[in-house]
Amino acid sequence: MGTGPVLSLRGAAQVPTSADKLRAWLDDLGRLVSLVPDVIAVDHLGPQQARMRVRPAFTFIRSELQVEIERLPVGDPATRAYRFHSSGIGSQASGRASLRLVSQGACTLLDWQLDIEALGGLLRALPRGLIEGAARQVVERFLARLHTVQSPPE
């Protein structure tokens, strides 16, 4: 068994919001959860942790998933990091997402990394390309919603 992630994705996006406002938005788990695609209910929302139910729009996952997100401490004020775990009927996944915000005046360059550290159940049997495509789609939908952030909390 390897020690690295099962799958690691990276990318960058420019967001039309200042880094300070975007950091405030990403620090508020309630607002962060509102950006997660396919959420059908939020079961717990605290300052460091959130638990929600998600019904993904993927043909290979038909059931509802329980998803937990935990905000992780980081030493760099420009970085935000989160641990996630999802579980459903016959499927489990866990990993980490990190976001580095680079100020560009009124906009922010968002360097992101998603590491899927473990897959369980039926997800292990799926081709890597299918898992990677689904993960990229979730990230792209999250980033599209993030682009709509116009007035984050002060």
Side-chain angles (χ1 to χ4, degrees):
M1 183 172 154
T3 58
V6 173
L7 179 66
S8 187
L9 303 172
R10 294 179 182 188
Q14 189 169 26
V15 181
T17 303
S18 74
D20 287 340
K21 288 182 180 181
L22 194 55
R23 274 191 289 276
W25 187 279
L26 294 171
D27 285 342
D28 180 339
L29 280 186
R31 291 181 187 265
L32 180 78
V33 165
S34 74
L35 301 173
V36 175
D38 304 321
V39 172
I40 57 173
V42 177
D43 298 322
H44 169 76
L45 187 58
Q48 301 298 322
Q49 225 172 12
R51 188 174 55 253
M52 67 205 90
R53 286 177 277 151
V54 174
R55 188 173 306 273
F58 302 120
T59 57
F60 60 91
I61 300 178
R62 294 280 186 190
S63 65
E64 188 176 288
L65 300 175
Q66 279 288 132
V67 178
E68 295 179 18
I69 297 175
E70 175 187 3
R71 188 170 51 190
L72 300 174
V74 289
D76 180 2
T79 300
R80 299 295 180 267
Y82 309 90
R83 178 159 309 285
F84 65 88
H85 177 77
S86 69
S87 60
I89 298 172
S91 66
Q92 298 152 351
S94 61
R96 176 185 164 106
S98 61
L99 308 167
R100 178 157 173 73
L101 290 74
V102 179
S103 181
Q104 296 184 328
C107 295
T108 304
L109 178 64
L110 184 68
D111 287 321
W112 59 267
Q113 180 169 341
L114 174 67
D115 293 324
I116 298 175
E117 297 168 343
L119 293 172
L122 298 174
L123 292 179
R124 277 191 293 202
L126 293 175
R128 177 184 166 95
L130 187 59
I131 297 292
E132 182 175 343
R136 277 200 187 280
Q137 183 180 358
V138 170
V139 170
E140 288 168 6
R141 291 177 63 205
F142 175 87
L143 291 173
R145 289 175 171 211
L146 192 59
H147 276 81
T148 66
V149 171
Q150 296 300 317
S151 55
E154 296 298 325

